[in-house]
Amino acid sequence: MIDFHTHTPAWRSASWLAGAAFDADEFISFMDDSGVDRAVVLSHDGLFDPSSQANDELAAFVARHPQRMIGFGSVSPRRPDAVVETERMMSVLGLRGIKLHPWLQGFSLHEAALDPICETVQAAGGIVVSHDGTPPYSTPAQIAALARRHPELPVVLGHGGLHDCWREALAAVAQTPNLYLCICGTPPYAARYILEHAPQHRVLFGTDAGLSDKPSQDYAAARVREIAGWGITADQRQAMLVDNPQRLLGGR
Ligand SMILES: [Zn+2]
Protein backbone atom coordinates (compact mmCIF):
# COMPACT_ATOMS: atom_id res chain seq x y z
CA MET A 1 0.00 0.00 0.00
CA ILE A 2 0.98 3.61 -0.50
CA ASP A 3 0.61 6.10 2.37
CA PHE A 4 0.02 9.47 0.71
CA HIS A 5 0.52 11.71 3.76
CA THR A 6 3.44 11.39 6.19
CA HIS A 7 6.01 13.81 7.63
CA THR A 8 9.68 14.10 8.48
CA PRO A 9 10.53 14.69 12.13
CA ALA A 10 10.70 18.32 13.30
CA TRP A 11 14.46 18.98 13.37
CA ARG A 12 14.47 22.73 13.88
CA SER A 13 10.98 24.03 14.58
CA ALA A 14 9.56 24.05 18.10
CA SER A 15 6.46 22.42 16.69
CA TRP A 16 3.27 22.38 18.71
CA LEU A 17 2.39 19.33 16.64
CA ALA A 18 5.02 17.60 18.78
CA GLY A 19 6.45 14.59 17.00
CA ALA A 20 9.12 12.21 18.17
CA ALA A 21 12.71 12.20 16.94
CA PHE A 22 13.28 9.33 14.50
CA ASP A 23 15.64 8.54 11.67
CA ALA A 24 14.88 7.22 8.20
CA ASP A 25 15.55 3.61 9.19
CA GLU A 26 13.11 3.82 12.10
CA PHE A 27 10.54 5.26 9.73
CA ILE A 28 11.05 2.35 7.34
CA SER A 29 10.46 -0.02 10.29
CA PHE A 30 7.08 1.63 10.89
CA MET A 31 6.28 1.23 7.18
CA ASP A 32 7.28 -2.43 7.20
CA ASP A 33 5.28 -3.16 10.35
CA SER A 34 2.19 -1.47 8.88
CA GLY A 35 2.41 -2.94 5.38
CA VAL A 36 3.25 0.41 3.76
CA ASP A 37 5.36 -0.12 0.63
CA ARG A 38 5.85 3.55 -0.28
CA ALA A 39 5.11 6.80 1.51
CA VAL A 40 4.72 10.40 0.40
CA VAL A 41 6.86 12.35 2.89
CA LEU A 42 6.14 16.02 3.59
CA SER A 43 8.31 18.36 5.59
CA HIS A 44 7.50 19.04 9.22
CA ASP A 45 9.72 22.10 9.70
CA GLY A 46 8.56 23.36 6.33
CA LEU A 47 5.00 23.67 7.62
CA PHE A 48 6.17 26.52 9.82
CA ASP A 49 9.07 27.82 7.75
CA PRO A 50 8.91 26.71 4.12
CA SER A 51 12.57 27.39 3.40
CA SER A 52 15.07 25.93 0.95
CA GLN A 53 16.88 24.48 3.98
CA ALA A 54 13.73 22.57 4.97
CA ASN A 55 13.50 21.23 1.40
CA ASP A 56 17.17 20.20 1.44
CA GLU A 57 16.70 18.34 4.73
CA LEU A 58 13.55 16.63 3.48
CA ALA A 59 15.36 15.56 0.29
CA ALA A 60 18.25 14.13 2.33
CA PHE A 61 15.80 12.17 4.52
CA VAL A 62 13.97 10.52 1.62
CA ALA A 63 17.27 9.88 -0.19
CA ARG A 64 18.10 7.33 2.54
CA HIS A 65 15.44 5.05 1.01
CA PRO A 66 14.56 6.44 -2.41
CA GLN A 67 12.58 3.37 -3.45
CA ARG A 68 10.28 3.71 -0.45
CA MET A 69 9.92 7.44 0.26
CA ILE A 70 8.72 10.17 -2.10
CA GLY A 71 9.43 13.75 -1.01
CA PHE A 72 7.15 16.74 -1.49
CA GLY A 73 8.70 20.15 -0.68
CA SER A 74 7.17 23.38 0.48
CA VAL A 75 7.37 27.04 -0.57
CA SER A 76 5.80 30.24 0.63
CA PRO A 77 4.04 31.85 -2.35
CA ARG A 78 4.69 35.35 -0.99
CA ARG A 79 8.46 34.98 -1.12
CA PRO A 80 10.10 36.36 -4.28
CA ASP A 81 12.10 33.16 -4.83
CA ALA A 82 9.07 30.84 -4.61
CA VAL A 83 9.03 29.86 -8.30
CA VAL A 84 12.81 29.41 -8.46
CA GLU A 85 12.69 27.25 -5.33
CA THR A 86 9.82 25.19 -6.77
CA GLU A 87 11.85 24.61 -9.92
CA ARG A 88 14.91 23.68 -7.84
CA MET A 89 13.07 21.20 -5.63
CA MET A 90 11.60 19.41 -8.63
CA SER A 91 14.64 19.35 -10.92
CA VAL A 92 17.65 19.39 -8.57
CA LEU A 93 16.31 17.77 -5.38
CA GLY A 94 14.13 15.25 -7.23
CA LEU A 95 11.02 16.00 -5.18
CA ARG A 96 7.69 15.05 -6.74
CA GLY A 97 5.46 17.92 -5.76
CA ILE A 98 4.68 20.56 -3.20
CA LYS A 99 2.74 20.63 0.02
CA LEU A 100 0.86 23.85 0.74
CA HIS A 101 -0.30 24.71 4.24
CA PRO A 102 -2.28 27.95 3.83
CA TRP A 103 -3.51 27.81 7.42
CA LEU A 104 -0.09 27.60 9.12
CA GLN A 105 1.79 29.49 6.42
CA GLY A 106 -0.72 32.35 6.31
CA PHE A 107 -1.83 32.86 2.71
CA SER A 108 -4.95 32.44 0.64
CA LEU A 109 -5.23 29.92 -2.17
CA HIS A 110 -6.80 32.65 -4.28
CA GLU A 111 -3.52 34.60 -4.41
CA ALA A 112 -2.23 34.95 -7.99
CA ALA A 113 1.32 34.15 -6.84
CA LEU A 114 0.29 30.49 -6.61
CA ASP A 115 -0.32 30.24 -10.35
CA PRO A 116 3.31 30.25 -11.61
CA ILE A 117 4.17 27.84 -8.78
CA CYS A 118 1.44 25.45 -9.91
CA GLU A 119 2.54 25.82 -13.54
CA THR A 120 6.10 24.91 -12.54
CA VAL A 121 4.93 21.81 -10.65
CA GLN A 122 2.74 20.76 -13.57
CA ALA A 123 5.54 21.25 -16.11
CA ALA A 124 7.67 18.87 -14.05
CA GLY A 125 4.87 16.29 -13.91
CA GLY A 126 4.34 16.89 -10.20
CA ILE A 127 1.44 17.03 -7.79
CA VAL A 128 0.15 19.68 -5.37
CA VAL A 129 -1.01 18.55 -1.93
CA SER A 130 -2.74 21.08 0.28
CA HIS A 131 -3.66 20.88 3.90
CA ASP A 132 -7.43 21.24 4.21
CA GLY A 133 -10.25 21.16 6.70
CA THR A 134 -9.39 24.17 8.86
CA PRO A 135 -11.21 27.42 7.98
CA PRO A 136 -10.78 30.26 7.28
CA TYR A 137 -7.86 29.32 5.00
CA SER A 138 -7.62 25.73 3.78
CA THR A 139 -11.25 24.94 3.03
CA PRO A 140 -11.87 22.32 0.32
CA ALA A 141 -13.77 24.84 -1.84
CA GLN A 142 -10.76 27.19 -1.86
CA ILE A 143 -8.47 24.33 -2.88
CA ALA A 144 -10.95 23.25 -5.56
CA ALA A 145 -10.86 26.79 -6.97
CA LEU A 146 -7.06 26.50 -7.29
CA ALA A 147 -7.47 23.09 -8.98
CA ARG A 148 -9.95 24.55 -11.47
CA ARG A 149 -7.45 27.26 -12.41
CA HIS A 150 -5.00 24.43 -13.28
CA PRO A 151 -7.20 21.67 -14.72
CA GLU A 152 -4.28 19.47 -15.85
CA LEU A 153 -2.54 19.54 -12.45
CA PRO A 154 -3.42 16.84 -9.89
CA VAL A 155 -4.38 18.59 -6.64
CA VAL A 156 -4.90 16.63 -3.43
CA LEU A 157 -6.97 17.56 -0.39
CA GLY A 158 -4.53 16.33 2.25
CA HIS A 159 -7.12 15.59 4.93
CA GLY A 160 -10.49 14.89 3.25
CA GLY A 161 -11.98 17.90 5.04
CA LEU A 162 -11.21 16.67 8.58
CA HIS A 163 -14.17 16.99 11.00
CA ASP A 164 -15.50 20.36 9.90
CA CYS A 165 -15.35 20.25 6.10
CA TRP A 166 -15.59 16.63 4.93
CA ARG A 167 -18.99 17.14 3.29
CA GLU A 168 -17.57 20.13 1.40
CA ALA A 169 -14.52 18.03 0.45
CA LEU A 170 -16.74 15.33 -1.03
CA ALA A 171 -18.79 17.88 -3.00
CA ALA A 172 -15.62 19.61 -4.26
CA VAL A 173 -14.10 16.33 -5.46
CA ALA A 174 -17.33 15.34 -7.23
CA GLN A 175 -17.31 18.64 -9.15
CA THR A 176 -13.57 18.96 -9.92
CA PRO A 177 -12.05 16.25 -12.14
CA ASN A 178 -8.40 16.93 -11.15
CA LEU A 179 -9.09 17.07 -7.41
CA TYR A 180 -8.22 14.08 -5.18
CA LEU A 181 -9.21 13.40 -1.59
CA CYS A 182 -6.77 11.86 0.89
CA ILE A 183 -8.50 10.26 3.87
CA CYS A 184 -6.05 11.31 6.60
CA GLY A 185 -7.28 12.38 10.00
CA THR A 186 -10.77 12.31 8.52
CA PRO A 187 -13.11 10.85 11.17
CA PRO A 188 -14.14 7.21 10.57
CA TYR A 189 -17.86 8.00 10.10
CA ALA A 190 -16.88 10.48 7.38
CA ALA A 191 -14.40 8.04 5.80
CA ARG A 192 -17.22 5.50 5.45
CA TYR A 193 -19.50 8.04 3.78
CA ILE A 194 -16.72 9.30 1.50
CA LEU A 195 -15.86 5.78 0.35
CA GLU A 196 -19.50 5.20 -0.49
CA HIS A 197 -19.99 8.42 -2.46
CA ALA A 198 -16.69 9.75 -3.84
CA PRO A 199 -15.38 8.84 -7.31
CA GLN A 200 -13.44 5.68 -6.44
CA HIS A 201 -10.46 6.59 -8.64
CA ARG A 202 -9.79 9.82 -6.76
CA VAL A 203 -9.58 8.63 -3.14
CA LEU A 204 -6.22 8.26 -1.40
CA PHE A 205 -5.15 7.32 2.13
CA GLY A 206 -2.65 8.85 4.54
CA THR A 207 -1.63 8.38 8.16
CA ASP A 208 0.13 11.66 9.08
CA ALA A 209 2.95 9.44 10.40
CA GLY A 210 5.84 11.54 11.63
CA LEU A 211 3.61 13.68 13.83
CA SER A 212 3.28 10.77 16.26
CA ASP A 213 4.86 11.24 19.67
CA LYS A 214 6.69 7.89 19.38
CA PRO A 215 9.36 6.80 16.89
CA SER A 216 7.28 3.64 16.38
CA GLN A 217 4.48 5.86 14.98
CA ASP A 218 1.83 3.99 16.99
CA TYR A 219 -0.91 6.44 16.08
CA ALA A 220 -0.22 6.11 12.37
CA ALA A 221 -0.14 2.31 12.66
CA ALA A 222 -3.58 2.47 14.34
CA ARG A 223 -4.88 4.50 11.42
CA VAL A 224 -3.84 1.76 9.01
CA ARG A 225 -5.67 -0.83 11.17
CA GLU A 226 -8.73 1.44 11.28
CA ILE A 227 -9.32 1.00 7.52
CA ALA A 228 -10.79 -2.45 8.12
CA GLY A 229 -13.65 -0.89 10.12
CA TRP A 230 -14.75 1.41 7.31
CA GLY A 231 -16.80 -1.22 5.48
CA ILE A 232 -14.35 -0.94 2.60
CA THR A 233 -14.70 -3.31 -0.36
CA ALA A 234 -11.75 -5.11 -1.95
CA ASP A 235 -12.08 -2.88 -5.04
CA GLN A 236 -12.13 0.31 -2.98
CA ARG A 237 -9.11 -0.85 -1.00
CA GLN A 238 -7.14 -1.65 -4.14
CA ALA A 239 -8.04 1.73 -5.68
CA MET A 240 -7.32 3.84 -2.56
CA LEU A 241 -4.14 2.11 -1.39
CA VAL A 242 -2.52 0.98 -4.64
CA ASP A 243 -3.97 1.96 -8.02
CA ASN A 244 -4.78 5.63 -7.42
CA PRO A 245 -1.53 6.68 -5.72
CA GLN A 246 0.47 4.60 -8.19
CA ARG A 247 -1.21 6.31 -11.13
CA LEU A 248 -0.40 9.71 -9.64
CA LEU A 249 3.17 8.93 -8.61
CA GLY A 250 4.15 6.53 -11.37
CA GLY A 251 6.36 3.53 -10.85
CA ARG A 252 5.47 0.15 -9.45
ZN1 LIG B 1 0.11 16.35 7.71
Side-chain angles (χ1 to χ4, degrees), residues 5-7 17 42-43 47 99 101 131 158-159 184 207-209 211:
H5 190 146
T6 73
H7 289 274
L17 293 167
L42 316 166
S43 179
L47 299 176
K99 162 76 180 287
H101 208 306
H131 171 83
H159 289 292
C184 174
T207 60
D208 241 342
L211 302 188

Side-chain angles (χ1 to χ4, degrees), residues 11 24 54-65 69 93 95:
W11 291 297
N55 291 331
D56 287 341
E57 289 165 351
L58 165 75
F61 185 81
V62 301
R64 300 276 305 173
H65 295 276
M69 300 195 282
L93 299 183
L95 304 183

